[in-house]
Amino acid sequence: MTDHFRALVIEDRDGKPVSGFKDLSLADLPDHDVLVEVLFSTLNYKDGLAVSGKGRIARRLPMVAGVDLAGIVVESRNPAWRPGDRVVVNGWGMSETEWGGYTRFQRLKPEWLTRLPDAFTLEESMAIGTAGYTAALAIDALEAWGKIKTDAREVLVTGAAGGVGSVAITLLASRGYRVTASTGRPETHGYLSSLGATGFVDRAELADKGGALQKERWAGAIDSVGSTTLANVLAQTVQSGAVAACGLAGGADLPASVMPHILRGVALLGINSVTAPHAERDRAWAILSESLDRQRLADMTTVEPLSNLPQLAQDIVAGKIRGRVVIDVAK
């Protein structure tokens, strides 16, 4: 175990959050009970905002960025965790209020750790990452609603070529749903078809404000865009359908009407991946273990060194990233 290691740290410079690489020691880490050797992290849209400085994600500085990590327990003051345990951490305020995963070592609270299912390697767990785990939470919520699977009409996935969308499509297809993908990038249609999408909607069709009630089409939907897109999806959802909302890439506003809810019984299901209780996390990872096609996961994933993060952050915010990006923190 090395005394010094590299991390991507966000610091305050003239009142602005600026990220850069910095050498840390174990003594610099927070005084939490479990020390983990981090092997892999990942790149999410929120990571892109934090690292690029285009969003004030970190609420205290300095901050080690990265909302995900996967690694091996090295030391533990908590009996629930032992050296050698394989663990994954998603959310829990990492990169916002707690130091995150873009570092070779991190100290963490024991209640943040999830034991990695045997079905996955550490690298695969970060190919899934918060994006894939959030997609599984959304599917769990839709299926708990109980009125989706038997409907022969389509399930819509917005932001389809992104991380949440890519995993959501392959999970839904594997579980027997007919999936329509919404994307503004026609060049990704072949990729999305390979994941299981059978239809496409240009995101521009959902971007303009529409009527409070529109033609019924979607039995259910997973939305990572928000704003007008979510409002239109709700207006197009069938009687007793449901929409799981898990993102705001298009904006945090919701210019919607109550009409779909009170006249069609449409449910809006909010997905909170950051502080989800362990029972929900365990169900999400069970869905991933049961239904995630490993070859499709590999096809949607690229592995990049930690050194490439500054440019990758710019790319994901600009909408240039397709699928999932695993960060090898040792490189």
Side-chain angles (χ1 to χ4, degrees):
M1 189 164 58
T2 182
D3 289 334
H4 289 84
F5 45 91
R6 187 176 57 160
L8 187 70
V9 181
I10 302 171
E11 298 181 290
D12 184 284
R13 295 184 192 172
D14 300 322
K16 296 180 180 180
V18 178
S19 65
F21 293 108
K22 187 174 180 180
D23 284 337
L24 300 179
S25 70
L26 294 178
D28 294 319
L29 299 178
D31 186 22
H32 296 322
D33 286 344
V34 184
L35 176 65
V36 172
E37 180 182 7
V38 183
L39 298 178
F40 297 99
S41 185
T42 186
L43 178 71
N44 300 289
Y45 187 76
K46 184 184 287 187
D47 295 313
L49 292 173
V51 174
S52 68
K54 298 190 179 198
R56 283 190 170 269
I57 303 301
R59 300 206 292 271
R60 65 180 181 87
L61 300 175
M63 173 64 63
V64 174
V67 303
D68 291 306
L69 64 82
I72 306 291
V73 173
V74 177
E75 298 172 356
S76 176
R77 301 192 297 250
N78 185 287
W81 302 101
R82 297 181 179 182
D85 285 345
R86 301 188 319 146
V87 297
V88 60
V89 183
N90 307 111
W92 298 113
M94 289 200 307
S95 195
E96 297 180 62
T97 59
E98 306 290 345
W99 280 20
Y102 293 158
T103 174
R104 197 72 172 91
F105 293 91
Q106 191 56 275
R107 283 200 177 94
L108 305 149
K109 292 183 180 180
E111 60 267 28
W112 297 343
L113 276 59
T114 296
R115 205 173 300 278
L116 183 63
D118 291 339
F120 299 112
T121 66
L122 289 166
E123 183 177 319
E124 286 175 329
S125 77
M126 289 294 96
I128 295 166
T130 283
Y133 147 71
T134 300
L137 285 174
I139 290 169
D140 182 52
L142 288 175
E143 292 185 343
W145 178 244
K147 303 174 184 179
I148 304 297
K149 194 171 179 64
T150 57
D151 195 305
R153 282 173 286 199
E154 303 140 290
V155 174
L156 176 70
V157 176
T158 68
V164 174
S166 294
V167 179
I169 287 169
T170 190
L171 286 174
L172 287 165
S174 295
R175 293 173 83 81
Y177 297 91
R178 188 155 60 94
V179 187
T180 296
S182 171
T183 178
R185 295 184 275 173
E187 69 274 14
T188 65
H189 285 191
Y191 160 74
L192 295 170
S193 294
S194 74
L195 300 182
T198 57
F200 299 95
V201 171
D202 192 294
R203 69 183 175 202
E205 294 182 30
L206 299 171
D208 293 330
K209 184 173 177 58
L213 285 176
Q214 300 172 33
K215 182 179 178 180
E216 295 178 80
R217 182 169 183 182
W218 318 115
I222 296 176
D223 175 65
S224 60
V225 179
S227 192
T228 305
T229 293
L230 176 55
N232 284 323
V233 172
L234 290 166
Q236 295 172 12
T237 299
V238 306
Q239 179 79 29
S240 299
V243 179
C246 59
L248 43 70
D253 62 319
L254 182 56
S257 164
V258 298
M259 302 294 275
H261 309 297
I262 65 175
L263 295 183
R264 291 180 180 166
V266 172
L268 175 59
L269 309 174
I271 307 301
N272 171 23
S273 64
V274 176
T275 58
H278 278 286
E280 292 181 15
R281 291 170 183 265
D282 290 344
R283 289 199 303 271
W285 281 98
I287 287 171
L288 290 160
S289 297
E290 293 165 4
S291 302
L292 186 57
D293 185 290
R294 301 303 190 275
Q295 186 56 54
R296 285 178 172 174
L297 180 64
D299 290 344
M300 72 176 77
T301 302
T302 58
V303 180
E304 298 280 354
L306 187 70
S307 58
N308 285 356
L309 259 173
Q311 183 58 53
L312 291 167
Q314 299 284 346
D315 289 345
I316 196 169
V317 172
K320 297 179 180 178
I321 296 292
R322 187 187 80 176
R324 300 290 297 128
V325 177
V326 171
I327 302 300
D328 187 333
V329 300
K331 295 182 179 178

